[in-house]
Amino acid sequence: MGVVTDIRSGRSPEKVEGAESYAKGGRGGSRNVSLFWRIFSLNAAGLIVATALLLGPVTVSTPVLAGEALVLLGGLLMLLAGNALVLRFGLVPLQRLDRAMATADLLRPGSRPVVAGPAETAGLITTYNTMLDRLEAERAAGAARALSAQERERHRIARELHDEVGQTLTAVLLQLKRVADRAPEDLRVEVGQAQEATRAGLDEIRRIARRLRPGVLEELGLASALRSLTTEFTTHGLTVRHHVTGDLPALTPESELVVYRVAQEGLTNTARHAAADRAELRLQQVPGGVELLVRDNGTGLGDAPEGAGITGMRERALLIGAGLTLEPAPGGGTDVRLRVPVTSRVPVTEGPR
């Protein structure tokens, strides 16, 4: 599941070359004059005109006549207006870059400011976009390694719970049964209670182990694993319905695991925080891929900041190039949508893997 990304072999050389060509030739092939030369040329033109007027037949009376004052004032206003326009349009791309930098989020990749403006500004925006590409590549590679290590640790803990703690509690149950058969009548009730508590603890350990390591996903496939997940989360206070189509395109093992974990986290948030009594899980084919939808009728997202669970879902989605959105559901509640891109259209057939 982990991937290694060499950021030195990314798209930065092409982007830098693009910035240089933009600075030299502009978008349409015409020369893109820098902001310095624009302002310098405008002021130089004003000074040259003023010098030419002074060396020519035009004179300024003492005191200054009204007509001469109007001419001087008009020239000054034109020079100021020209400087204002040059600075105004030259700084607009920098303002867009400032907004883009203030709202940048590595968990929501793809948004880039448009490369525009004078050569210096275009080069700065291109450098910023290249930096974002590198940061996103590093974030994806780091998240892949971390999540891969997390999955290995989940499997190890699940195996130890099943092999060590589970077998120990099973032995305790057998011992309690032998004790109950030989115990006096007045102690059998208490021994029976100890048996029930041990059995409940064993069932809870098995349930935790199943959640840590989804064996049904490896053995029966994604569709069966999602149906089993909805059954697991259906309790006395929450009813979870599922709709998983059978003609889904083939997904990679990494994509199947991400879909399962996102569905698991979405239903966990619904059960713990949403105060919902109904939830729905859908997995269906959409143009260009498959879409997972987890919908509930709870209290909604509100203004609460995103917690570790949602952040983990976003990081998992980045690993497979999927898009994750959280939005209000129709009629109240929350919609969690995960859209996974696929290239193959071979249907998935359930069965042993």
Side-chain angles (χ1 to χ4, degrees):
M1 186 174 175
V3 296
V4 178
T5 303
D6 187 357
I7 63 173
R8 296 172 296 178
S9 61
R11 294 175 293 174
S12 57
E14 291 81 358
K15 286 184 173 292
V16 173
E17 292 175 3
E20 293 176 352
S21 62
Y22 187 98
K24 293 178 180 179
R27 287 182 177 178
S30 61
R31 183 174 180 82
N32 186 23
V33 183
S34 67
L35 185 61
F36 167 78
W37 284 110
R38 291 183 184 186
I39 299 177
F40 177 79
S41 300
L42 180 63
N43 286 279
L47 292 175
I48 290 173
V49 172
T51 304
L53 292 176
L54 290 176
L55 297 177
V58 179
T59 59
V60 179
S61 304
T62 304
V64 180
L65 299 178
E68 296 172 345
L70 289 177
V71 172
L72 293 175
L73 182 59
L76 177 61
L77 291 177
M78 290 179 60
L79 186 61
L80 292 176
N83 279 274
L85 289 176
V86 169
L87 291 174
R88 180 68 175 176
F89 290 104
L91 296 179
V92 165
L94 288 179
Q95 294 173 352
R96 287 198 295 262
L97 175 62
D98 178 70
R99 290 193 295 268
M101 295 175 68
T103 58
D105 188 352
L106 296 181
L107 293 178
R108 296 175 176 85
S111 178
R112 297 289 186 273
V114 178
V115 179
E120 301 95 333
T121 305
L124 178 62
I125 296 176
T126 303
T127 303
Y128 172 73
N129 290 343
T130 303
M131 181 192 68
L132 278 186
D133 290 338
R134 292 178 177 177
L135 289 177
E136 288 178 1
E138 292 175 0
R139 177 66 180 265
R145 290 191 293 268
L147 292 176
S148 179
Q150 185 184 76
E151 288 298 329
R152 291 195 298 269
E153 187 68 11
R154 283 172 177 260
H155 287 188
R156 185 188 67 80
I157 294 175
R159 185 169 56 251
E160 291 185 358
L161 285 175
H162 182 272
D163 296 342
E164 302 294 334
V165 183
Q167 292 181 5
T168 300
L169 289 180
T170 301
V172 171
L173 273 178
L174 295 176
Q175 185 68 25
L176 287 174
K177 185 178 184 303
R178 288 194 293 269
V179 171
D181 294 338
R182 297 195 299 259
E185 188 67 28
D186 56 344
L187 293 180
R188 288 185 180 179
V189 176
E190 296 181 6
V191 175
Q193 292 175 350
Q195 283 181 293
E196 292 301 321
T198 305
R199 187 176 292 109
L202 181 60
D203 292 340
E204 180 67 14
I205 287 177
R206 289 172 177 171
R207 185 185 67 82
I208 294 174
R210 284 196 302 270
R211 294 193 64 184
L212 288 173
R213 183 176 183 269
V216 65
L217 177 63
E218 301 176 356
E219 298 170 1
L220 300 179
L222 179 60
S224 297
L226 292 178
R227 295 189 185 104
S228 175
L229 191 64
T230 58
T231 303
E232 178 183 345
F233 277 91
T234 298
T235 61
H236 297 293
L238 178 64
T239 301
V240 184
R241 297 182 302 171
H242 63 78
H243 178 75
V244 182
T245 59
D247 57 346
L248 296 172
L251 299 175
T252 63
E254 292 81 6
S255 297
E256 289 188 351
L257 183 59
V258 168
V259 171
Y260 180 84
R261 291 301 188 193
V262 170
Q264 186 181 53
E265 184 63 33
L267 291 177
T268 299
N269 289 340
T270 297
R272 292 180 178 177
H273 310 297
D277 57 7
R278 294 192 311 275
E280 178 183 5
L281 187 149
R282 287 180 174 268
L283 184 66
Q284 57 190 358
Q285 184 173 350
V286 295
V290 298
E291 182 182 76
L292 170 72
L293 170 65
V294 180
R295 172 177 293 173
D296 63 63
N297 66 339
T299 56
L301 296 173
D303 298 329
E306 294 186 356
I310 297 179
T311 300
M313 288 193 290
R314 294 194 184 279
E315 290 179 343
R316 290 181 183 276
L318 287 178
L319 296 181
I320 58 174
L324 180 74
T325 59
L326 287 83
E327 55 191 9
T334 304
D335 276 358
V336 178
R337 294 181 185 271
L338 177 73
R339 178 162 295 196
V340 182
V342 295
T343 55
S344 174
R345 295 294 177 182
V346 180
V348 174
T349 56
E350 295 185 27
R353 304 176 66 188

